[in-house]
Amino acid sequence: MKRTTTVAVTAAGIALATALSACTSSKPAENAAGSAADPSAPAASAAAPVDKAAKDYNIQFIQGVAGDEFYISMQCGAQAEAAKLGVTVTTQGPQKFDPTLQKPILDSVVAAKPDAILIAPTDVTAMEAPLKAAAAAGIKVVLVDTTTENPSYATAAIASDNEGGGKAAFDAIKALNPNGGKVMVMSTDPGISTADARVKGFEEAAKADSAFSYLPVQYSHNDAATAANLMSSALQKDPDIVGVFAANLFAAEGTATGVRQAGKTGNVKIVGFDAGPNQIKALKEGTVQALVAQQPSGIGKDGVDSAVAALDGGTVNPKVQTGFSTITKDNVDTEGAAAAYQSAC
Ligand code: T6T
């Protein structure tokens, strides 16, 4: 029987110019572990196609944080694929993007011995040993979105091209500020693989362009209020900042608030990673000028495909890189509508 289940997650309430007119979409690229993405490669596939799983496997999805539309969309993609294949996916997540809260969830999931775990680890070091132990206990571990320092224990790792996305964010800032100027990044926390890769991609591109000067990255701890305060302080110190790359949903929300409080909406250009409903609204209202949208639902689907293929003894691609697209006011109702994240399945 086809089933999908959602465990009540702990509540956490959980943001161009014509120069950028044509939406830029990265092509998903498929690659073996460790190899660089090849943008000209064919569309990624996580595993050999399966119509129906050999049995109703118990797959547990542990989000990076509950209530985040990125992970909700991933859950929706995982659930839809699970229903198709006749397996069960159960989802839960910590109240904050924090390994001290995520590890106990992982421990209790492992104790119940599911067939597979899909997880977005909240820290590159802190989550590695418990995940290694889960794999050693015979559970298939599929990393979705984030990874750890040495993911050799994992059956598969599926994530966006985060470094490429950071570079695309710089290209968007440059198109909005062709004369250059001071730019900064509002990130989440160091040690989160995705955000670190986005910062790297943006920083390298900004430093390579002599028209721009790169200010130190700020860490908002995945909290919009903290990002707003940090942004206000940054603008007091450097009132001539021309552009900010906000490296995820909450960073973008807070950055837009900080810029608005400084009375600089529209003057300081904001490019945010992620495309939740609030970010799409902010783009339409003009408090944010561009978004780099990931494909969380596709990551969830690929995660389930990888887990099922591994459990069925089939072929699994160990590393899958999914694409992203840059959304501006020009394509928000077309490509943006298709890329927008869900707040419920
Ligand atoms: O940007 C996503 C995700 O890719 C990242 O790892 C953590 O933040 C988000 O969930 C957005 O809030």
Side-chain angles (χ1 to χ4, degrees), residues 6-338:
T6 306
V7 155
V9 282
T10 39
I14 301 226
L16 245 195
T18 26
L20 265 180
S21 61
C23 60
T24 32
S25 293
S26 86
K27 274 191 202 163
E30 177 181 21
N31 44 6
S35 71
D38 170 5
S40 63
S45 81
V50 177
D51 290 336
K52 199 90 190 150
K55 64 181 241 227
D56 180 359
Y57 298 119
N58 170 4
I59 301 175
Q60 297 283 322
F61 171 35
I62 304 176
Q63 302 162 311
V65 62
D68 174 332
E69 285 118 358
F70 173 81
Y71 293 117
I72 293 173
S73 303
M74 196 182 289
Q75 174 186 355
C76 302
Q79 285 183 181
E81 189 67 359
K84 200 182 116 201
L85 299 182
V87 299
T88 300
V89 167
T90 306
T91 301
Q92 55 189 314
Q95 267 186 328
K96 288 186 182 164
F97 200 97
D98 180 341
T100 65
L101 301 179
Q102 192 184 42
K103 185 178 170 296
I105 295 177
L106 175 62
D107 289 345
S108 73
V109 163
V110 170
K113 297 191 189 331
D115 295 303
I117 294 173
L118 264 51
I119 184 166
T122 44
D123 187 89
V124 287
T125 49
M127 292 306 295
E128 188 156 286
L131 284 170
K132 234 172 159 167
I139 301 166
K140 302 287 183 203
V141 175
V142 176
L143 302 176
V144 281
D145 179 45
T146 44
T147 186
T148 64
E149 259 157 20
N150 178 3
S152 53
Y153 55 83
T155 295
I158 300 143
S160 305
D161 173 7
N162 287 292
E163 203 174 317
K167 158 95 174 62
F170 176 73
D171 292 342
I173 293 248
K174 188 178 159 81
L176 290 155
N177 296 285
N179 297 327
K182 283 184 187 168
V183 291
M184 65 166 261
V185 184
M186 184 67 71
S187 189
T188 56
D189 273 308
I192 299 172
S193 63
T194 48
D196 286 349
R198 292 168 200 169
V199 174
K200 181 171 186 278
F202 183 91
E203 179 174 351
E204 283 178 3
K207 285 185 171 167
D209 191 324
S210 58
F212 286 87
S213 107
Y214 179 79
L215 298 175
V217 56
Q218 308 268 335
Y219 291 107
S220 61
H221 314 307
N222 214 38
D223 179 54
T226 305
N229 288 337
L230 288 171
M231 194 63 235
S232 298
S233 307
L235 282 169
Q236 266 160 28
K237 187 160 175 278
D238 291 288
D240 52 344
I241 290 172
V242 299
V244 183
F245 168 41
N248 88 340
L249 215 139
F250 303 105
E253 219 165 281
T255 297
T257 304
V259 168
R260 194 180 63 241
Q261 282 166 352
K264 288 181 176 269
T265 297
N267 294 330
V268 178
K269 311 293 187 200
I270 303 173
V271 177
F273 223 84
D274 294 308
N278 284 342
Q279 286 65 53
I280 296 280
K281 187 166 170 268
L283 183 61
K284 287 183 171 168
E285 289 171 356
T287 55
V288 163
Q289 283 69 42
L291 300 173
V292 179
Q294 306 188 72
Q295 300 169 348
S297 165
I299 296 175
K301 173 191 179 294
D302 285 352
V304 168
D305 284 347
S306 299
V308 168
L311 291 164
D312 277 355
T315 313
V316 181
N317 184 356
K319 190 171 176 188
V320 176
Q321 197 165 69
T322 52
F324 59 82
S325 46
T326 302
I327 311 296
T328 68
K329 258 191 168 158
D330 294 336
N331 64 351
V332 68
D333 291 323
T334 51
E335 188 162 358

